[in-house]
Amino acid sequence: MNVNSRKDLKLDNWNRVLELLRNYGSVDVAGLADIAGLSKLTITKILSYWRDMGVVIPIGKGNASGEAAGKKPTLFCVNPEYRLIFVSQLYETSLLSAVTNLRGAVIANDRVSYPKDTGLDVILGSMRAAFDTMSAELKLNDSRFAAIVLGTSGITDSKDGVIVYSPHFPSWGYNVPVAGMLRQIFPKRFTLHVDNWVRYQAYAELRIGQAQQVQRFLEIGTEPDGVTSGLVWDGTLVSGKCGLAGEIGHMPVDLESDVVCACGGKGCLEPAISLLRMQARARAEAANWPDSSLVRGRDAFAITYRDVFAAADAGDAFARTLLDSPAKYMAAAISHVVQVCDPELIIIQGEYADAGTYFLEQVKDGVRKRTLPGMDKNIRIQYSTLGDKQGLIGAAHFAADQFYSHLQ
């Protein structure tokens, strides 16, 4: 074995032990030796190396066993505070930012609101201001941060750090060099990651959510007036040639519709299942349903889409009528995805993740009827359980994985 081969093997062992510690949480030397197939002496040397860097820390004693009965072994884990991640998630009218550790735990967060179609330079200025404010409050200097991550809105080329086009921010135009703009306002030493926020949501499902044992799945991210999705194939986020992979919000599903989508097209999934449109319809048609629980004893203009979700699960006919249309179009879009990609799992995240049992069953039934009805597709469709900070957490995990993969 030549010198370079020995160095590569040594580096592989260092990184493998670190990855095992990340996966198992806390392990002693003997446990790591068994799992890694290395000697205790080698494990001890590797742990000493990572401890000296501050990457690995001891966290107490484990249970004694075997020949060493009575002597409790020291447990080790990766140090989640060794470096921190700064993450921002860009929505249509707000920017959510957070500082997380390397395990994705949110240490501090802040949200800034702005008008629709606000200029990207203004939003990125707010991002820098949030970074400065939280760094000052937490008494952190730049050296503590491993990466800066931005979850974008719209078609994003993550490789080149370019927002190809964002339908909800038409004033930005095309091919906006967002990574280059971030380089102008953040120190050049920072590693930057830029991608559509829903792909980071999908990454959260892959790492800590319902897709941890799944190789191929689609995560559908929903907002009150927006839809997009993140596709994971063989455990890897898929962007496509132009960053278009997962843009199901602009998939035509209602070919008779005259409603113009934010993208300029007609018949898109996004307006077809818009919660704001459904809410407006509930208010407009309330007078026709005087016995509905949504209407009795209340101002029709106070009806929200969350009220519709709850009433539909309680059996309210009006509420179910309102949900039937978006369920039909959601099922149509998922059916197209199933027939093209054949995923194992579909996860619905965001506002529609609170839509309840009735909506989910209507979607499942619609997919069964549309997609080769005589064939058992064996596909699961379920709601995300990770909450509204899922994109931030997924972005942090993505950045942490990239950080560890380059750590030497």
Side-chain angles (χ1 to χ4, degrees), residues 15 50 52 66 78 83 110 118 166 170 186 190-191 203 208 242-243 249 252 266 274 297 315 354 371-372 378 390 400:
N15 290 336
W50 289 127
D52 289 345
V78 293
R83 291 290 183 270
D110 180 59
T118 292
S166 185
F186 283 100
F190 285 139
T191 298
Y203 203 80
I208 61 170
C242 300
K266 294 181 180 179
S274 165
D354 296 324
T371 312
L372 298 173
N378 195 28
Q390 178 179 346

Side-chain angles (χ1 to χ4, degrees), residues 284-314:
E285 297 179 11
N288 300 327
W289 298 82
D291 295 329
S292 168
S293 62
L294 288 171
V295 178
R296 287 195 308 267
R298 66 186 304 177
D299 182 353
F301 285 93
I303 299 174
T304 69
Y305 55 81
R306 296 192 183 280
D307 294 331
V308 176
F309 295 161
D313 269 2

Side-chain angles (χ1 to χ4, degrees), residues 134-377:
M134 283 189 272
S135 295
E137 290 175 348
L138 296 170
K139 296 181 172 57
L140 302 171
N141 57 45
D142 289 355
S143 65
R144 291 296 311 282
F145 289 90
I148 304 289
V149 192
L150 176 62
T152 63
S153 172
I155 301 164
T156 303
D157 180 346
S158 58
K159 181 176 176 239
D160 293 332
V162 171
I163 298 176
V164 179
Y165 182 67
S166 185
H168 294 286
F169 295 89
S171 68
W172 296 0
Y174 290 85
N175 299 316
V176 185
V178 61
M181 295 171 71
L182 286 170
R183 285 283 177 214
Q184 298 299 314
I185 61 174
F186 283 100
K188 289 183 171 51
R189 61 165 296 275
F190 285 139
T191 298
L192 290 180
H193 300 289
V194 175
D195 207 343
N196 188 298
W197 58 266
V198 77
R199 292 195 183 114
Y200 292 133
Q201 289 186 329
Y203 203 80
E205 295 290 352
L206 179 68
R207 295 290 276 111
I208 61 170
Q210 300 186 68
Q212 291 179 70
Q213 305 301 320
V214 176
Q215 285 295 300
R216 300 174 178 182
F217 71 95
L218 184 80
E219 195 264 0
I220 301 175
T222 61
E223 297 180 75
D225 209 22
V227 184
T228 188
S229 66
L231 179 64
V232 173
W233 208 251
D234 294 335
T236 302
L237 287 175
V238 177
S239 297
K241 182 173 69 71
C242 300
L244 274 168
E247 284 293 337
I248 67 168
H250 307 292
M251 176 188 291
V253 293
D254 185 7
L255 301 183
E256 305 301 318
S257 176
D258 290 325
V259 177
V260 178
C261 178
C263 72
K266 294 181 180 179
C268 295
L269 175 67
E270 190 166 282
I273 69 169
S274 165
L275 288 168
L276 297 185
R277 288 185 65 212
M278 185 187 72
Q279 184 173 280
R281 179 187 164 196
R283 295 167 178 177
E285 297 179 11
N288 300 327
W289 298 82
D291 295 329
S292 168
S293 62
L294 288 171
V295 178
R296 287 195 308 267
R298 66 186 304 177
D299 182 353
F301 285 93
I303 299 174
T304 69
Y305 55 81
R306 296 192 183 280
D307 294 331
V308 176
F309 295 161
D313 269 2
D316 187 275
F318 181 32
R320 292 188 169 188
T321 297
L322 293 168
L323 273 182
D324 284 344
S325 178
K328 177 179 75 172
Y329 293 121
M330 179 75 85
I334 291 174
S335 295
H336 296 326
V337 170
V338 170
Q339 292 184 130
V340 172
C341 297
D342 193 18
E344 303 165 59
L345 172 67
I346 303 287
I347 302 173
I348 299 173
Q349 194 276 340
E351 271 70 16
Y352 266 109
D354 296 324
T357 302
Y358 177 78
F359 175 79
L360 188 60
E361 290 306 313
Q362 291 299 106
V363 171
K364 290 178 179 178
D365 188 54
V367 173
R368 281 192 294 267
K369 290 177 179 177
R370 286 176 175 82
T371 312
L372 298 173
M375 175 183 174
D376 182 4
K377 277 76 66 179

